[in-house]
Each structure stands twice: as C-alpha cells, then as structure tokens.
Amino acid sequence: MSDLKLQVNGKWVELDVPQSRYLAEVLRYDLGLTGTKIGCNESECGICSVLVNGTPVNSCIYPAFKAQGAAIITIEGLEQDGRLHPLQQAFLDHGAVQCGFCTPGLIMTAKALLDEKAAAKQPVTEHDIKVALKDTYCRCTGYQSVINAILQASGQDVKPYIPKTKAPCQTIGHALPNPDSLAKITGRAMYTDDFVFPGMLYARTKRAGVPHARIRHIETAEAAALPGVRAVLTHADVPGRQNHGLVTVDWPVLCSDKVRYAGDAVAVVAADSEEIAAAALELIKVDYETLPVVDDPIQAGQPDAPIVHEERPDGNLLKHIKVRKGDMAAGFAAADVVVERTYRTPMTEQMFLEPECSIGVPRGYDPTAFGGTIDPAAQRGVQYRHDKTTIYCGTQIPYLDREQTAAALNVPPEQVRIVAALMGGGFGGKEDIAAQIHVALLAERTGRPVKMLYTRAESLLFHPKRHATIIRIKTGAKRDGRLTAVEAELYGDGGAYASLSEKVMTRATTHASGPYDVPHVKVDCYAMYTNNTPCGAFRGFGVTQSCFAVESNMDLVARELGLDPIAFRRINALDVGGTTCTGQVMRESVGLQECIAGVEADMRAHHTALGEAFRWSWSEGRKHYAWGIGIGYKNTGLGGGAPDKASAIVETGVTDGQVWAEVRTSSAEMGQGLPAVLAACAAEELGLPYGQVRVLLGDTDHCPDGGPTTASRQTYVSGNAARHAARTLRARLQQVVADHFGQPVEQWSFADGQFSANGTRAGLVEAIEWAQASGQPTWEEYEYWAPKTQPLGTGGDMHVAFGFGAQAALVEVDDDTGAIKVLKIVGAHDVGRAINPLTLEGQIEGGIIMCLGNALTEHFINEQGQAWTDVMARYKMPSIKHTPEIISRIIEHQTADGPYGAKGIGELSSIPTTPAIVNAIANAVGVRFCSVPVDQDALLLAWKAGETECLCGWGYEH
Amino acid sequence: MAYWNDYYTPHTIEEAVEILGRYEGRACMIGGGTDLLLEIQQGHRPRMDALVDPTRIEGLDQIVEEDGWLVIGAGVTHTRIVNDPRMRQHGTCLVESCGVIGGPQVRNVATLAGNIAHALPAGDGTIGTLALGGEVQVAQASGLAWQPMEEIFIGPGQSTVDPKRMLIARIRFRPTGEHEGSAFRRVMRPQGIALPMIGMAARVRLAGEQITEVRIAIGPAAKVPLLAVKTMQALVGQTPSDKTFAAAAETALAEVQLRTSRHRASAAYREEMIRTQLPLTLAKAVERAHTGQAEPEGVGA
C-alpha cells in the first residue's frame, strides 16, 4: 500500500492504496464516487472519462499513481452550489440522457472541449464535438441530442429537436425529461455495481472455454482451499431446478454432464476480493471430453451434425415455424417477374454499456454484523429489510428472474425478491438470467451479500445475441406493380440454448413478406441449436433480419419492373382493410402510406433546398451518392395468443400540502423512457403536474407484475395499466368527495385537478385527506389485459397493433477506398400517439443509429464455436462520428386500445435502416450486398471487377 | 485484478534504467499504457512486478529544437504533438498520423515513444516518424545512443529496444524546411479492427520541378514498418505528376509484401489502396513542398 495524493473535485485526498489500482477503481471503490462508470475496462468506450489536470482520460485504464498529485474532476464535481453545470442542464433539456450510463463520460468529455474552446475564445462546432467525442460511446441516443445539447451548453441557441405531433393534452404529448434524468446527469444514479453492502463478497464464474464437451470431472478442492475463498459451487449445490429458461427450461444453472457453448457456467466462486475469486477460477480443474462442434444453422440440420441437446426429439431443430396464406402456385403463375435471392445477417451484440451485475443478499442479512451502519439501498430513498433472499440487478423481467431464482433455490417465489437497479441499457440482452441465480446461491451459502460483476469480455462471451440468419426469399409481382407471392425460407442460429429463439424467429417469419398486402405467402423458418453463443432478444426481435431481406428483394423487383422503388412500395403497402401474411385484417391504425409519403417529401425537400431536382443517385468527383429506401413494421405486444397483461399501482398522498402520486410496476426502464410515459399517464388522469408524479420500477415486493419489457409493449400495456389505475383512483376520490358533500357522485366531474359539482369545488388535497380520514385507500392497482390475440396459423388478430415506418438513407461511397458514409436519414414512424415527443425522438434516433451499425459495422464473430469478438475493441458500434443528419416525422394513426392511442416504438425505428442503407449503396455504385455488415474491402473489389452482387459481408468466411 | 505491483515515475533516465535493472526483467517501461496495459490484461503479455513510467522524467515531457533537430521526449503524448505548431508545420505527416490514433482520451495519454516501442508494422505514429527520417535515442545501462529508427525493428511487435532493460528516451527528426513537405494517409475499416487496413507517409524535397529527396513509409507492408527504399530511389530525379506517382505506386507494389489479414484487409484490397492512396499521399507532400502550406488534414477523424 502506498500514499496516493489527488485533488478530487477541488478537495485534496490522501489514500493508502495498492499501486496497481486504476484511477476509475480509486474513484469508484475507494472514494465512493460512483458517478464515473466502467463500461469496458479496455479504453474503448470512453464512458469512464474524467479530467486529469483538465484533460479527459479513460480512467478505467489509467494507473492511479500516474495521476499522483493531479487535479481530478468527475461528474460529481460539476454541480456548483446546487446549480447544474450548463452541460447537465442542456443534456436534460435535449433528452440526451437515456439509460444514463454513458452520460457522465459524455458530459466530462464535452466539458473538456467547452473549456478548451472557451480558453481559445473559439466557438464550438459540430465537427469539434464529433472529434472530441469520437470514442465516447452512447448506445441509446443516436447522438443527435448529445450534439445539440453540447452546442446549447456552449452558449449557442439550439433548441431540442422535436418533430411536430398532435396538439398535446394537459401532460400527454408534451416533451418532458425522464423523471430519473436528474440523478443520471449528476452521477447520483445507482446502478447495480454502485451498491456496496457491508460484508459483501465478490464472485466470479468459471466458464467452459470450450464450445462442446462432455464433463468427466470437476475438481474444486484446490480453489476452495485458497485463503479468502468463501464458497465454490457446482451443479451439485443447486438445491432446486437445475435449468432455467424463458420459454424452454434448457439452460443449466451450472453445467453437470456437458457444456454446449464456450460461455457455459461450470462453477461459481465467492471470495473476499475479486482478485481472489479470479485466482480461484484458475484452480478449478474441469476434465472435458471434447465433442465435435456444430456452428452453423444449416449444418445443424444435416443428419451427421453433432447434437447439442441429445434429449430432444428433433435433433438440433429448436422450432419449425410456418406461415401459409393463399396458393403459391397460383401466386407465382400470376407473376410477370420473380426475384429470388439468399441473404445473410450476422450474429450481433446489444452492447449495452453496463455489463451485467447482480448482488445477492441473503435472507436475514444484518449489515451491523459486518460493522456496517448504512444500508446502501437506502440511497434509493427506500428502506429495505432483507427478510428474504434479495437480488439487486439490472433486468428486463423482474418477476421471471424471481420465478427462475426461486425454482433453483427450491423455495416459493414469494421468498425471493428482485430489486431492479437502474439499468445501463438492455436492448433485449437483459431478459435471460445472468448471475441472478448464482449470487442468490452464493449469498445463501455464505450468509453474506455477494456481488457478481461481469467483465466486458465475459458479458460478450455469455449473453444471448441477435440471431444470425440465412434467408432465401422469392418475390413475385405483376407488371402493374402488384405483388403476387412471397416465398421465404429462414434459418436462424439459436445457439446453445433456447432463450427466446422460438419467439424471435416467429417474428422474423411472420414479418417475412414485409408490411405489404401479399395474396400468397409461404414461409418456413428453422430455428436451430448450435454450439454458438445462445441467441435471443435484441431490439427488432427477428424483424431486423427479415426486413433486410424483404426490402432488398423489393428494390430488385422494382428494378426488374422498371418501377420507382417508392411507387412500387406504395402500390403494395398495407393499409386499413389489408391483410397480413398471417391473415390479420387491418382495421385501424395503419399509417404506412403516410410514412412513405412523408419520407418521399423529405427526400425531395433535400434537393429542393439545394435548388435542384430530385435524383436517386449522382457522382461528384470521386464520390458517389445515392438514396435508398426501406420500410418496415413491428408488432406491439407479445401477441400470438399469449396472455399479455401488465399491472401497475398508482398511489397518491399529500406531503407539506402538496399532492404527490407514485406509479409502481415491475416493468423495466433501460433507457427507453418508460418512467416518463408512466408519469405522464398518471399525471394526465389525476390532473397533476408531471413533476409531482414519481415512478418506482422493478421491485417485486413493492411493484406489481408489468411482465417482460420486450416486444415494444410497455407503453401500451404498462402505460394502460397506469392510466387505468389513475383513472380508477380518481373515480374513487370523486366518490369520496361526493360522499363528503352528501351528493350523488354522478353530479360531480373532474377537470384541471379539481372535482366540481353545482358550483362546489374540492381539490385533490382535500379528496385525499378525506379518503384517508375515512379509511379508504388512496391507491389503486390495475391489471391491464391487452385485447386477445390468436396463435400463428389460426388466422385472425395475431397482434394488437403494429407500428409502421419508412426511412430513406443518403449515402456517399468513396471511389478509391469503397468507404461508406451515411450522410442523412429521413424517417417517418407511425407510433399511434406520441406520449412524450422528447423521449420518443430519442428512441427513434437511437434505433436508427443502432440499425446503421447493423448495416455497416456490427458483427459478433464466432469461429468454430469460439468468439473471435472477445473484447469490445473487436465490435464497433456506431460512434458520434457516424451520426448522420436525421430528419424525423412522427405519424399518429391512433390505435383504439393503446393509451391515448399509442402503440410501440421501441424497436420499429431500428428495423428499416439497414435495407435503406444497403439499397442506397446499390444505387450509388451498382453493387448489391446480400449480407451485412457491408464490407468496403469486398465492395471495392467487386465493384472494380464489375460484379453486381456480394454475399460476403465483413466477418464471414469467404 | 492486479496486473503489476509497483508503479514508478522516475525523475531521471538513469533512475528509470536503474529500476529496470533492479527488477531483472520483471519490470517494464510503460508509455501511456493504452496498448501495453491492455495486452497484459488480455493475457498477450506477462504481468509485471513493476511498471516504469518515463512521463515525469525531467526534459522528456517536451518537444524541443536542438542542433537542427526537432526532439520529442518519451513523455510527449500524441495530443501534444498534434497541437504543437512546429510539428504541424515541419512534421506534418507525423501530426496527421498521431492525430488519427484512437480517440482523444487515448491520444491524451498515449506517447509516440510508446507507439514506436510497440513496433507494430502499421503503427500510425511509427509510419509518420519513419517517413520523416526519425531517429530514436535508446537509453540503457551502458548509456544513451541515437540510431536510425528503421534499424530497431525486428518483426511484428518486436524491436531491439527491450522494454525490460531499455527505453526510447527521445525521438528526433530534421524538420521539413523550404521546398519540403510531408503527408500521411491511412485507410481504416469501420468494423471491429483497431488497426489500419493500410497506412502510408511520405516526405518530399523539391528542387525546381524535380524531386531531390523522398522518404516513403508503408504499413503493414512487411513484417516491420516498411521504408519503401526502391520506390524512394526510383522517384529521385523525377518530375512530380500523376504519371510519376502512378509509376511509384507500381514500384512500391513490387517491394511490399502484402498479406491478407483475417477480418482486417485482403491483400488485393491493400494492393488497390497502394495504387490509389500512395499517389494521393505523394501529391499532397509535393503540394506542401510547393506552397509551404502545411495544414494537417484528417486530425481526429
């Protein structure tokens, strides 16, 4: 241990710490300044940025003793006398805070830029921002709001970018910051790794490292004997159900007889420190008999393929999914043009910036037994008693975590409690169990709190990703532009465990004829087990993949027909009265034609502003430019006959003469803006100012079940639950008021936060106080059930609603290098109703940029079942420098059952961008990529060789 | 996880060398550490008992002009090089190459000495320095000695400067003067590869309409950062033109050894890049030699 002297946020501190510490560790773990986040530990994501003598550095990889004597500024040092720094205020105003995990890094990096420019008396430009923040990643926002916020903070008059929407109600329809944003911009927000419990142990997982092997023997004695190790657990220590799983319970908590992918968990260790736990892993010896590996979904279906789950009846077939509509022979016979192609999409990674972290706290835990006095959970403003096994974690499905953990522990679900901490992004990747069960087992075994924080490398290795697919699609159309038939065959790589493969690939299948009215459709999809990383939910849920294939084929058909790509789509686009490929007749809320028209108008406006006529493609010097279009749709809600419900509690009270309300549901916030939606719904119904509504999410002891946060469903189902709960509560308060005055309740009405009848008035304050005085509850729980849906294959309504979107991309391709730049995206999305245009626009822009990554940069590469993509540096998501200008239109074709007409937007915007970009590249240089991400190497070589199609995106074996 | 035990920030070169000696191979020099620490962390290098950080050695934290050389100390970061007006005017290709490494947070910490010591065939700053005719001052127990930079490279990631015994204390080059110019270009892919597909730099001196001196560095084009000697020789005495540069690219193609590196670049693509990018690099260097204007391009891209 040595003396480290630092001036942190203006105060000198002296620490006696090992010289091996990194600066981020000193700040977070020694000084408790947890506003500085660690996203990758490899100097890649930039979110750990702090200022050392005014200069931003990645504190995760900066030796603390390198900073000896230096002045350090962290996010906690920005607020002055309770006043926000202009950057913090601007991030709030512009909605540049979503999950909030990267926010401190973005703000600190931006502060250095602002300081530097102010010192040089120079204005800050967008280019400056793109240079300064080039390697400070954000996975939620899409960066446009970040750029605008920084410009505003630099003193320029830049307003938040908010598209035009319907006239707002009292609260609904107003652009409002998320209620949790303030905590996120100041560094006070608590994510799981920010909690430190007295007596806490640190855990690590022994992972297989081999993709397919039989376990002969697991030897843990040496690890258990290492001083400081408190527990080493294997499958034999799981008292209850041995497997977990969201749909199929096939994923071992700890492997016993075989491992099926390299990330499989074989043992877990809890120790006094993370170092000891890591050292113990090295001492665990597993004797494997390696087995042949199957790493490709088509190969997985061959008779001689190695079998991943021997106990299953259909070999490696996880699910065969079928869509049948009409008569294929007739459909193709009627076609004048038939285009058939095979497309490939890669496995991709959610890359939420917060790696998975879970803390298990044992039943009966008493912090004072470990010399502790402070319950860190109290920092959330809630007092916790640990009278049951409690798990703090970031999760998209708290109640299913509870159920699965309880099953493994062999206790009733009520004896487990999940407390959702703030989540640094999820995007579908935090639906499956990560370490929740492991920390519960370790906590109960050791009698101490146990934290398991995955490294980025472990996170990449372990969690389910987006399915790689191979999609053959055959599209037939008549000379007049009418589609006659679509036939498709999809193979999806489900990886080693089922996760949500069945659901994801069902969505890929049912969306495989696109948002078009096609009379004859036949789709077969084969979700296959392999020894790759399991695949499951990732924003877009299968539709990202099929949309790329559908929309690429649409451009090819349009070319064959000699039709304009937009005109061709408008001829076929679904509208009210149309029928989807599953036989669902659209009765309402189909704004697709308007979306396409809006995008076309904005494409044309681009050229009009330049004083020229619209053109699809052109060249200037050694650069080639073109537009491309893609349209898409995405279901809202689970659909397919699944019970789709969410519960919420709305409680009201009066504190210091002011009414407050709180919405509670287990539904998850991962940066998409759910608290803002819930608060707005309650505020609207109760006539309360938005700022007087709090939201508590994800605590299974305090919040009723909102169901999974998936399928773009929470605005619809939890929003409805909150709305109905608030409305029911209001009705009760109205009864209380009527009773108070002895008048029939029918004579009373409610407006502007007041009850009134015949000139008599009563406010909410009185109503709540009278209710309390008369012993009536001032809270209401409402369980909202979405309209019933039909299973696939039975016709009727498979989904309660669909979001529709159209996007066009303007790209530039460099003649010399093949390098691709996306200059502009124009998008129009039918969201039903914009509940909060600020957070909605964040979802739209973030989805577009994420899908831009899908088109151009992202591929999680597996080779023979081993991840080549083993560090973040090998997986580039779009950075701020990739952010094009985004023009966004919001279309509002309300849906009858949605809250105020709203339907889902979480996934929609991240679906059509890929084909829009790839179609644009084809239009620019005449080379069509049938696989993504587009590889400039292959593009350039194909182009120079005069080839017109490539099935060889980056990262595939050529 | 402790990847080292002791962290030294010596104040003199002698002290740094002495610490290395004391640890007998269990200590290692660290520049900014942005590559080294990751390699240790990811198991590509053994963990160390001690790291020796030269950035606080007196005199090594600056760029100075000395006897007609521009001398860059081992503690000088990429950001310092990029912002230094002397470097921008007289070592433009080095500024351009240092300006594209990582993001600002990395450039604020990473040093040029560290980049050269890493000895990657396509290290950006290395390519820039090599084209400028850089020399490195190696410090070890026996003392200090200057040597031409190209002499230290042995293979990918390997140089004669053993970081467990020695350090690169300074780097120097002759600043470009009148009728001289330099330029750097590189091609990156946007996917998950932090290394360039290819990078190249050139330094040119003109007399009238003739090239009288030229240095060209390309990487990765061999097992070490390549000085394209034959291309350099062929260009001397030539008049700059599109044709000259195109011919230079063909000469370069005859002396480079291009490989297909998995997920990074195909040999065919690299060949094409030498064809398109080397003429552009040379043209830019010549333009700067003509005009005397040397505003670096692409910094922070």
Side-chain angles (χ1 to χ4, degrees), chain A residues 794-919:
Chain A
T794 62
D797 289 354
M798 190 172 167
H799 290 291
V800 296
F802 293 91
F804 296 90
Q807 294 176 13
L810 174 59
V811 305
E812 171 196 289
V813 185
D814 185 282
D815 200 290
D816 291 325
T817 62
I820 299 148
K821 246 193 230 167
V822 180
L823 303 175
K824 190 168 185 169
I825 301 272
V826 299
H829 300 89
D830 171 20
V831 303
R833 177 71 196 261
I835 301 272
N836 182 339
L838 184 68
T839 52
L840 168 61
E841 181 60 16
Q843 283 286 80
I844 290 173
E845 291 173 8
I848 286 171
I849 296 302
M850 190 172 260
C851 199
L852 182 151
N854 188 63
L856 297 179
T857 70
E858 302 184 26
H859 186 170
F860 186 94
I861 301 172
N862 280 293
E863 292 173 334
Q864 281 292 301
Q866 295 283 6
W868 177 84
T869 312
D870 56 356
V871 289
M872 193 192 261
R874 286 185 160 183
Y875 193 91
K876 293 276 187 200
M877 57 191 143
S879 86
I880 197 166
K881 74 170 181 176
H882 294 103
T883 294
E885 182 188 1
I886 297 174
I887 305 286
S888 176
R889 273 180 200 248
I890 291 172
I891 309 297
E892 294 171 287
H893 283 221
Q894 286 163 269
T895 187
D897 246 76
Y900 314 98
K903 46 194 184 184
I905 179 59
E907 300 167 279
L908 174 64
S909 63
S910 75
I911 290 169
T913 323
T914 296
I917 291 171
V918 176
N919 285 336

Side-chain angles (χ1 to χ4, degrees), chain A residues 343-382:
Chain A
Y343 299 89
R344 292 194 67 160
T345 69
M347 187 180 288
T348 58
E349 155 67 33
Q350 296 85 354
M351 204 57 94
F352 36 74
L353 282 165
E354 179 207 26
E356 297 90 338
C357 186
S358 300
I359 302 173
V361 180
R363 193 169 48 244
Y365 166 68
D366 174 9
T368 61
F370 301 95
T373 48
I374 303 162
D375 177 356
Q379 292 175 47
R380 280 165 54 99
V382 183

Side-chain angles (χ1 to χ4, degrees), chain A residues 19-20 22 41-43 49 55-58 61-63 66-68 109 131-132 134-136 274-275 816-817 856-857 863 868 871 873-874 876 934-937 940-941 954-955, chain B residues 1-7 31 37-38 41-42 53 55-56 102-106 108-109 187-193 197 262-263 265-266 268-269 272-273 276-277 280 300-301:
Chain A
Q19 291 184 21
S20 58
Y22 285 115
N41 256 327
E42 50 170 296
S43 199
S49 293
T55 302
V57 305
N58 288 324
I61 198 85
Y62 194 93
K66 190 178 176 66
Q68 182 73 268
T109 315
V131 168
K134 171 185 167 261
D135 273 7
T136 309
E274 208 244 327
E275 285 84 351
D816 291 325
T817 62
L856 297 179
T857 70
E863 292 173 334
W868 177 84
V871 289
R874 286 185 160 183
K876 293 276 187 200
V934 175
D935 180 348
Q936 72 190 52
D937 186 325
L940 189 83
L941 297 179
W954 179 73
Chain B
M1 194 61 162
Y3 295 102
W4 67 88
N5 295 331
D6 304 323
Y7 195 88
L37 294 177
L38 294 184
Q41 224 168 272
Q42 292 165 8
D53 174 348
T55 58
R56 294 190 185 209
Q105 294 98 323
V106 167
N108 287 341
V109 176
V187 182
M188 284 288 280
R189 60 161 66 248
Q191 296 93 9
I193 288 278
M197 298 174 92
R262 211 161 46 121
H263 306 316
S266 67
Y269 183 83
E272 189 63 23
M273 287 310 97
T276 62
Q277 303 300 299
L280 292 171

